[in-house]
Amino acid sequence: MTVTVSPRSPRQRQAILGQLPRITRSDGSPIRVLLVDDEPALTNLLKMALHYEGWEIEVARDGQEAMAKFAEFGPDLLVLDLMLPDIDGLEILKMIREAEGYTPTLMLTARDSVIDRVTGLTAGADDYLTKPFSLEELVARLRGLLRRSKAMEAPEDEVLTVGDLVLDGASREVTRAGEPISLTVTEFELLRYLMRNPRRAINRAEILDRVWNYGFGGRSSVVDLYISYLRRKIDAGREPMIHTVRGVGYMLRPPQ
């Protein structure tokens, strides 16, 4: 399994990444990233790319080391390989989700089938990358996860209500008809954007730009995938609130 490194030199890549605004924790300290992968060549490249961001990096080679370092290091971001020598990456993610809240997680996988991607994302991953990938894309994805998380900013004092659906920006809690709904970081931000624009048909390109903010040109299919996840959690067994607008995109509106 290999990373695709663009033909640019390390100095050129550093210059490109250095043009982006620095992201830090809310107290100004470096973002902490835990890389979990058993390929030294890969983790060395990723460490180099993320050090250009000014971030603090720890590496774990297997699942047991990952769990120990997660507890000790307290990362703001988790980059997790799906296939590890001892514990499956999905099992690690499940244990982490059960032990704490939501650390934004990017899953790395050599599998590109729809079922594998769905399995990883429904297990709690916020995004995924299929090997091989470019260093620039990985950095862009991680920066996007940080923008959608609360790691770099104080909680927002915002409460949104559409019908019986309520989103609290400070506590990051979501309820429908009083029942709590557990969302990943990305699902939360997608729902927040829909709730900020109720009864408006929003096209996929706008959602991708405002929620994912992919400077490298993300695929609109990721919007469809996350809309399907939201529907399972928001609309399951209830009158639908998330609607497809043919030829446009999606709309959230209260039940009729």
Side-chain angles (χ1 to χ4, degrees):
M1 301 176 194
T2 58
V3 170
T4 297
V5 180
S6 66
R8 304 182 182 96
S9 69
R11 182 172 296 180
Q12 288 173 320
R13 287 196 299 274
Q14 182 177 8
I16 291 171
L17 296 174
Q19 293 171 3
L20 301 173
R22 285 295 175 97
I23 297 177
T24 66
R25 307 179 95 191
S26 58
D27 62 0
S29 61
I31 294 294
R32 297 176 182 175
V33 184
L34 177 60
L35 303 177
V36 185
D37 198 291
D38 62 340
E39 299 180 62
L42 172 58
T43 54
N44 287 339
L45 282 171
L46 299 186
K47 284 178 66 177
M48 176 187 68
L50 299 180
H51 277 310
Y52 291 157
E53 293 289 307
W55 297 349
E56 187 176 347
I57 317 299
E58 282 285 341
V59 175
R61 307 295 183 190
D62 56 44
Q64 292 189 359
E65 187 179 11
M67 294 301 296
K69 286 196 173 181
F70 186 91
E72 177 184 349
F73 186 50
D76 303 303
L77 288 170
L78 178 63
V79 180
L80 178 63
D81 188 26
L82 184 61
M83 293 182 288
L84 295 166
D86 56 349
I87 306 174
D88 184 87
L90 295 178
E91 185 62 28
I92 294 172
L93 184 58
K94 179 181 177 182
M95 291 188 290
I96 287 175
R97 290 289 189 254
E98 290 174 350
E100 54 94 51
Y102 278 100
T103 297
T105 300
L106 175 66
M107 185 75 77
L108 302 180
T109 176
R111 307 168 183 171
D112 194 27
S113 69
V114 172
I115 187 63
D116 288 320
R117 282 178 281 167
V118 169
T119 300
L121 292 169
T122 54
D126 298 289
D127 206 347
Y128 67 90
L129 267 180
T130 303
K131 298 178 180 179
F133 54 83
S134 72
L135 294 177
E136 287 90 345
E137 181 172 7
L138 178 129
V139 172
R141 296 280 187 111
L142 293 180
R143 289 175 67 91
L145 283 181
L146 283 173
R147 281 191 294 267
R148 300 194 299 275
S149 77
K150 59 183 179 180
M152 63 178 182
E153 59 185 2
E156 297 180 34
D157 187 14
E158 173 186 52
V159 176
L160 300 173
T161 302
V162 178
D164 60 354
L165 183 64
V166 179
L167 180 149
D168 189 315
S171 65
R172 300 185 73 82
E173 294 176 342
V174 175
T175 61
R176 182 164 183 192
E179 295 184 13
I181 298 172
S182 178
L183 301 178
T184 67
V185 170
T186 302
E187 290 167 350
F188 183 90
E189 293 304 329
L190 174 56
L191 179 63
R192 172 151 56 182
Y193 191 68
L194 293 175
M195 292 183 70
R196 284 173 172 171
N197 297 273
R199 300 181 184 275
R200 182 168 79 86
I202 310 173
N203 65 49
R204 292 172 178 81
E206 178 182 341
I207 294 173
L208 193 65
D209 180 64
R210 299 301 178 87
V211 177
W212 277 264
N213 198 8
Y214 279 176
F216 56 86
R219 294 178 297 179
S220 62
S221 59
V222 74
V223 176
D224 301 329
L225 191 60
Y226 273 91
I227 287 289
S228 71
Y229 297 156
L230 274 185
R231 279 176 165 155
R232 293 176 196 173
K233 296 182 177 183
I234 301 298
D235 291 341
R238 307 177 178 96
E239 190 172 347
M241 294 185 66
I242 302 173
H243 302 271
T244 300
V245 181
R246 290 188 178 276
V248 181
Y250 298 99
M251 175 190 294
L252 183 139
R253 64 171 184 259
Q256 300 297 320

